[in-house]
Every structure is written in C-alpha cells, then in structure tokens.
Amino acid sequence: MVMERLDKLIASTGRWSRREAKEMIRAGRVLVDGRPAAGPEDRADPRVNAITVDGEPLDWRLFTYIMLHKPAGLLSATEDARQRTVLDLLPPELRRRGLFPVGRLDRDTEGLLLLTNDGDLAHRLLSPKKHVEKIYYARLDAPLGEEDRAAFARGLVLEDGLRCLPASLELLGDGREARIGLREGKFHQIKRMTASRGAKVLYLKRLSMGPLELDPALPKGAYRALTEEEVREIGGKL
Ligand code: URA
C-alpha cells in the first residue's frame, strides 16, 4: 500500500492547487470508497481506494516526469526574483506540481533537462556514487587532442585543486567539437575542464542523462512527459 495525503493526491492532477484541494476536502466534495474524506491530512492508496471529486474518479499521479529542451538564457531553478527560469516554460497546471530541475545547466547551456517532483529519483540520478553518465556536446575555441582525451580518462585535477572523476572525451572533426561524458556535476564543470586544457567552451548542450536521451523531435523550449518506458528506464515510479 502506498498511502498518500489526499490533498497531495488531488494536487498531483495539476488541476487544483494544494490549497484548493484542502478546501474541496473540507467542503465534502472528495469521497474515499464512497465516504466523504474527514480532512486534507487523511491518507489513501489511490491504487486500492476509489477516490472521487464531485463524483468523478481522480486522475492522480504519484510523480510527474518532464523532458525539457532547455534553451539558452533561462536559469535552471524553480524561481528567481529577476530572471526567467525553466519553470516559466511550463503551463500553470504543471507548475503547480512542485517540479524542480534534476541538476543544473548553466544559463547559456542548452539541451536535456529532466523536471520532476520525485526527490528520490533526483538524488539517485545526481549522486556521484551512482555514476550516472551525462553526455554533452561541446564546441570549443581551440582543438583538443589525444593527450587531452587521456587526461580526461585519468581524471583531471583543476587549478583550484578539484579532482574530477574519470571522464570521456570523444573528439569530433578537427577536435574543436567533442562529446564529453561526466559522472558528476560540479559548478561549470565542463567549462573548467576544457579550460584547464587550453580550450574555451563556445557552445554546450546536454544530450543524455543515463538512459534518457534528448528527443530529437523536441524543439528548443518545448517539453513533453516522459513515456512509461523512459520512466521505467531511469528508475522512476509509475
Ligand atoms: N558543465 C558546464 O560547464 N556547464 C553546464 O551547464 C553543464 C556542465
């Protein structure tokens, strides 16, 4: 049994806020197995108990998983007093679900950003101990070569002493483009890693996170829900 608070289950639909859910429960509009719920803190298992709002079955979700193609110019945060965040790209019914970005991309970085309200999954995907690989495409102002590839594979030590985990560097074309695979996510990590080898990042895009790949059909700034298969692959809960 997965017992969840009723107000949380109702808000998980995205149709109502948590506050509205509480009011609806208090007004007796929410029934659990045919009986009016006593209060917002009442718990139910939506897989076992029949929950209705105004007589309609509740379209609940335990968690929400969104793939966003992040454009440059937005912060990877849930809110900011001055700047637009990736949450501004979502409609109100999704913004009400308490979603947050799993890991941060810099303001000028584009590409795959997973948004969820599943804190356990976020923790698992980001923990360096779990070694989930994130792959980026980078365009550089100077070519990298075989020695740099070997140094990435050994684990770079940056000027400030930061010791990086071994990372993959797949050189493309003349070495001014590369696919870089990281198993951790320190602040400006790729920019600092390539800078330590004499190349500045001109453009950066995240292509994948573990088994989750950026959907090539998703234009910049667009989002979609993960498919059931993708949720299963990354270890989310359906
Ligand atoms: N490394 C960076 O330098 N920036 C990002 O946004 C992601 C990885």
Side-chain angles (χ1 to χ4, degrees):
M1 293 267 274
V2 184
M3 301 292 278
E4 288 286 349
R5 280 179 63 116
L6 274 180
D7 55 351
K8 193 171 163 199
L9 282 170
I10 292 168
S12 83
T13 62
R15 282 182 64 189
W16 301 284
S17 68
R18 197 86 174 241
R19 190 176 46 77
E20 287 166 336
K22 288 185 176 132
E23 283 166 11
M24 284 156 45
I25 294 167
R26 291 196 188 103
R29 292 165 58 192
V30 180
L31 305 189
V32 178
D33 294 333
R35 281 186 296 276
E41 61 291 332
D42 261 20
R43 288 173 184 263
D45 182 345
R47 274 171 283 215
V48 176
N49 306 117
I51 306 170
T52 59
V53 175
D54 299 332
E56 297 283 326
L58 187 72
D59 180 21
W60 65 281
R61 310 273 153 77
L62 206 44
F63 293 110
T64 301
Y65 304 94
I66 299 288
M67 175 190 294
L68 173 75
H69 187 162
K70 179 189 175 298
L74 296 180
L75 287 188
S76 297
T78 50
E79 54 187 1
D80 189 85
R82 271 157 296 148
Q83 301 188 57
R84 290 184 74 213
T85 75
V86 290
L87 267 294
D88 290 324
L89 295 172
L90 303 182
E93 67 267 24
L94 280 178
R95 267 187 268 137
R96 284 199 205 111
R97 292 190 199 183
L99 302 176
F100 56 86
V102 178
R104 283 169 187 261
L105 292 178
D106 294 339
R107 218 171 94 95
D108 56 356
T109 301
E110 299 185 345
L112 174 66
L113 196 60
L114 174 64
L115 298 162
T116 186
N117 44 15
D118 180 348
D120 287 346
L121 176 71
H123 179 72
R124 271 182 275 127
L125 289 175
L126 295 177
S127 163
K129 292 201 193 85
K130 305 283 180 195
H131 294 286
V132 174
E133 192 178 38
K134 291 124 205 150
I135 300 187
Y136 295 82
Y137 165 82
R139 220 167 27 239
L140 309 165
D141 74 341
L144 294 179
E146 180 49 34
E147 274 183 31
D148 303 305
R149 196 200 55 71
F152 268 58
R154 281 195 301 272
L156 292 176
V157 181
L158 304 183
E159 273 166 24
D160 59 7
L162 178 71
R163 185 173 287 276
C164 301
L165 290 175
S168 67
L169 174 67
E170 183 193 341
L171 298 164
L172 306 169
D174 67 355
R176 281 172 217 267
E177 290 175 85
R179 249 192 296 271
I180 298 172
L182 296 187
R183 292 170 192 279
E184 57 188 337
K186 303 266 165 38
F187 181 63
H188 289 340
Q189 185 156 357
I190 290 188
K191 291 172 183 162
R192 290 157 70 199
M193 286 166 83
T194 62
S196 81
R197 307 298 300 180
K200 186 168 174 262
V201 168
L202 300 177
Y203 173 79
L204 191 60
K205 177 179 183 178
R206 181 153 63 192
L207 304 175
S208 64
M209 196 171 193
L212 188 64
E213 291 182 10
L214 179 64
D215 184 339
L218 207 57
K220 249 182 254 181
Y223 68 89
R224 69 160 170 79
L226 294 200
T227 63
E228 287 195 0
E229 195 183 343
E230 287 168 335
V231 173
R232 229 175 268 121
E233 279 175 352
I234 58 166
K237 297 177 202 76
L238 288 168

